[in-house]
Amino acid sequence: MRKLKIKSGDTVRVIAGDHKGQEGKVQKVLIEKNKAIVEGVNTISKHEKPSASNPQGGIVKKEAPIHISNLSLLDKDGNTTRVGYKEEDGKKVRFSKKSNEVI
């Protein structure tokens, strides 16, 4: 299993698939499946049975995971960029390969 360069809280853009061009913030990364849940992207409608937590039941909208390879990180300027790692002051930090700024 390789290390993923996209973390929770990052702003990303979808670069492939049905939702190409949409942007959102990463809510959760599923490391074992190489997928991420992005806010406002890949929304599905799911039927839920009535339960104690949801007594009404019915159709619920929720975000489905999207594969990491279909996402690209956005830097501070809003441009897509690749991620690199370098050492600064004895700490390993992520940096934007386009603008060479620390993320």
Side-chain angles (χ1 to χ4, degrees):
M1 187 166 42
R2 56 184 264 249
K3 184 173 177 142
L4 302 178
K5 297 185 176 184
I6 293 177
K7 311 282 183 203
S8 294
D10 286 346
T11 305
V12 294
R13 180 179 293 147
V14 181
I15 57 172
D18 293 341
H19 305 283
K20 183 176 180 175
Q22 292 184 1
E23 297 178 7
K25 190 169 264 197
V26 176
Q27 293 177 333
K28 187 176 182 181
V29 177
L30 308 169
I31 298 170
E32 60 280 347
K33 293 183 178 181
N34 283 340
K35 294 187 175 197
I37 297 175
V38 182
E39 187 178 314
V41 177
N42 203 16
T43 307
I44 59 169
S45 299
K46 184 176 188 324
H47 180 269
E48 285 201 358
K49 258 174 113 171
S51 64
S53 62
N54 187 7
Q56 192 71 23
I59 297 171
V60 177
K61 294 211 180 260
K62 60 189 280 185
E63 282 101 9
I66 188 166
H67 201 271
I68 293 285
S69 66
N70 295 338
L71 301 175
S72 182
L73 190 72
L74 296 178
D75 60 7
K76 294 172 186 171
D77 302 330
N79 300 322
T80 58
T81 183
R82 291 180 297 141
V83 179
Y85 288 92
K86 65 181 174 182
E87 210 168 296
E88 258 186 24
D89 302 327
K91 283 192 160 188
K92 190 175 176 183
V93 294
R94 295 186 306 158
F95 74 98
S96 164
K97 288 198 173 183
K98 248 184 197 174
S99 62
N100 213 15
E101 293 178 6
V102 175
I103 299 173

